[in-house]
Amino acid sequence: MNEINIKHLKDIENEAIFVIREAIAQFEKPALLFSGGKDSIVLVHLALKAFWPAKPPLTLLHIDTGHNFVETIEFRDNLVKENSLDLHVAYVQESIDEGRVVDETGINASRNKLQSVTLLDIIDKLKFDVAIGGGRRDEEKARAKERFFSHRDEFGQWNPKNQRPELWNIFNGRKNIGEHFRVFPISNWTELDVWQYIMIEKINIPNLYFTHKRNVFLRDGVWLAAEDFMKLKQNEKIIELDVRCRTIGDVTCTGLVLSKADKIEDIVAEIAVTRITERGGRYDDKRSETAMEDRKKEGYF
């Protein structure tokens, strides 16, 4: 396994904590976007460090699609309870019931895209003026265009061609009424940085990230979990395999990887040598070459 550069990890930790504190200082009502994945878990850990021994002055905001892994919800609730954090859950099902969005139908139906409307509605309803997220520039080409402080207009939309300069780590949080910001403190981290940081900090993560037996089926080269709400094509067969999650999101689009990594050290070693990108197994990104950027422009994380 590659030697861990502790100084590098400490440097990016300090940078992330600085960005979090800047966001809290510049905005009045902050939220931390929590998906239950490793990046948002690291964000919570950093926020706890940034304001220790006080409680982080922000609300965890989770957009529940109704198609989550059970393990994700259990982990979320335990994390909130253990750290006495404030949590608000917004439900995509409520957006569907209110006629704000239309539930997709068919074999490839997913609620992942519908999250954008639910997110923008709850930001407007609760008047959050900044949403801190765990996006990283190495994840995907659209996210590589983000600044630390990412401006959203009064419609919640993002314009990648109209980003503000951030020279010498000076962040411009000025906004008009109705506008808000997304802030990405771990923008400069890589996937390997995240896992090495989780390892040295001994951060607890969901068991989904470790190899476990699960019923899965193969679709377009992606292993998907065989949950009750997942519809199968005629030629798709459910089998039990040793798999783990590399990213965690809506079940309908979270690809699983075949792996024997059952501890953090094995995951770090696996990530260090893989030639497949982190989002290479995300089924939602296969809808089009610009799937992520299109969703981000509409208000996605």
Side-chain angles (χ1 to χ4, degrees):
M1 185 174 68
N2 293 344
E3 184 177 348
I4 295 177
N5 187 335
I6 300 297
K7 181 182 182 303
H8 166 69
L9 293 180
K10 182 56 66 175
D11 286 344
I12 58 175
E13 176 194 63
N14 289 337
E15 178 184 64
I17 288 175
F18 171 74
V19 174
I20 291 172
R21 288 173 174 165
E22 277 292 300
I24 299 300
Q26 292 196 40
F27 299 99
E28 295 180 1
K29 193 168 184 182
L32 189 154
L33 298 174
F34 187 79
S35 67
K38 65 185 184 308
D39 298 322
S40 60
I41 293 169
V42 166
L43 269 188
V44 172
H45 182 80
L46 291 166
L48 289 168
K49 274 196 166 189
F51 300 101
W52 183 263
K55 185 174 76 172
L58 46 76
T59 299
L60 266 60
L61 178 58
H62 182 213
I63 307 302
D64 188 336
T65 65
H67 292 163
N68 298 289
F69 288 99
V70 173
E71 297 93 329
T72 300
I73 304 302
E74 292 177 348
F75 185 92
R76 178 200 70 190
D77 293 343
N78 288 335
L79 180 67
V80 168
K81 183 178 179 180
E82 289 171 4
N83 295 284
S84 300
L85 299 171
D86 297 325
L87 170 70
H88 186 91
V89 182
Y91 297 93
V92 171
Q93 185 61 54
E94 292 184 1
S95 298
I96 295 171
D97 294 342
E98 294 168 1
R100 295 283 294 145
V101 294
V102 178
D103 205 3
E104 293 184 3
T105 59
I107 294 294
N108 293 308
S110 173
R111 291 182 173 181
N112 196 49
K113 186 178 180 180
L114 307 186
Q115 295 181 79
S116 299
V117 173
T118 307
L119 174 61
L120 293 177
D121 283 351
I122 201 63
I123 285 175
D124 180 63
K125 179 180 179 180
L126 298 185
K127 304 304 178 186
F128 291 122
D129 54 357
V130 62
I132 302 171
R136 307 188 325 270
R137 294 189 181 117
D138 76 316
E139 281 184 89
E140 204 271 343
K141 57 188 178 183
R143 283 185 166 156
K145 300 177 182 180
E146 293 276 19
R147 300 287 197 268
F148 280 111
F149 276 39
S150 181
H151 175 262
R152 298 301 200 267
D153 65 21
E154 65 270 28
F155 302 106
Q157 297 179 334
W158 170 67
N159 182 356
K161 297 180 179 180
N162 188 27
Q163 293 285 291
R164 299 175 179 180
E166 293 181 344
L167 305 176
W168 306 290
N169 281 347
I170 297 175
F171 305 122
N172 182 356
R174 294 173 59 186
K175 61 180 179 59
N176 296 317
I177 295 175
E179 299 175 344
H180 71 277
F181 273 75
R182 307 286 173 84
V183 170
F184 302 102
I186 60 172
S187 290
N188 288 334
W189 295 41
T190 66
E191 183 187 10
L192 185 58
D193 289 335
V194 170
W195 281 112
Q196 289 180 337
Y197 186 74
I198 288 171
M199 183 168 66
I200 67 169
E201 291 286 306
K202 297 180 172 57
I203 301 173
N204 190 28
I205 58 172
N207 290 332
L208 288 166
Y209 281 114
F210 300 104
T211 292
H212 58 285
K213 291 189 180 298
R214 185 175 290 271
N215 288 333
V216 298
F217 63 94
L218 187 64
R219 176 173 296 171
D220 297 334
V222 178
W223 290 104
L224 296 171
E227 299 290 343
D228 293 340
F229 49 79
M230 296 290 282
K231 299 179 180 179
L232 271 63
K233 298 179 182 178
Q234 189 172 5
N235 63 335
E236 293 173 340
K237 305 298 181 184
I238 296 175
I239 59 175
E240 185 181 73
L241 291 175
D242 290 325
V243 296
R244 72 176 190 86
C245 290
R246 193 169 166 190
T247 66
I248 294 178
D250 187 282
V251 173
T252 60
C253 59
T254 298
L256 304 167
V257 296
L258 304 179
S259 174
K260 296 295 183 182
D262 58 3
K263 54 183 181 293
I264 292 288
E265 291 80 4
D266 293 339
I267 294 176
V268 170
E270 189 175 272
I271 297 303
V273 299
T274 186
R275 297 181 65 84
I276 300 174
T277 62
E278 181 177 2
R279 295 190 66 91
R282 292 280 296 198
Y283 194 72
D284 52 332
D285 287 348
K286 297 183 181 297
R287 293 192 170 198
S288 76
E289 291 186 359
T290 60
M292 171 61 82
E293 182 156 336
D294 292 341
R295 292 198 302 276
K296 287 181 68 63
K297 288 179 179 178
E298 295 172 358
Y300 189 71
F301 301 161

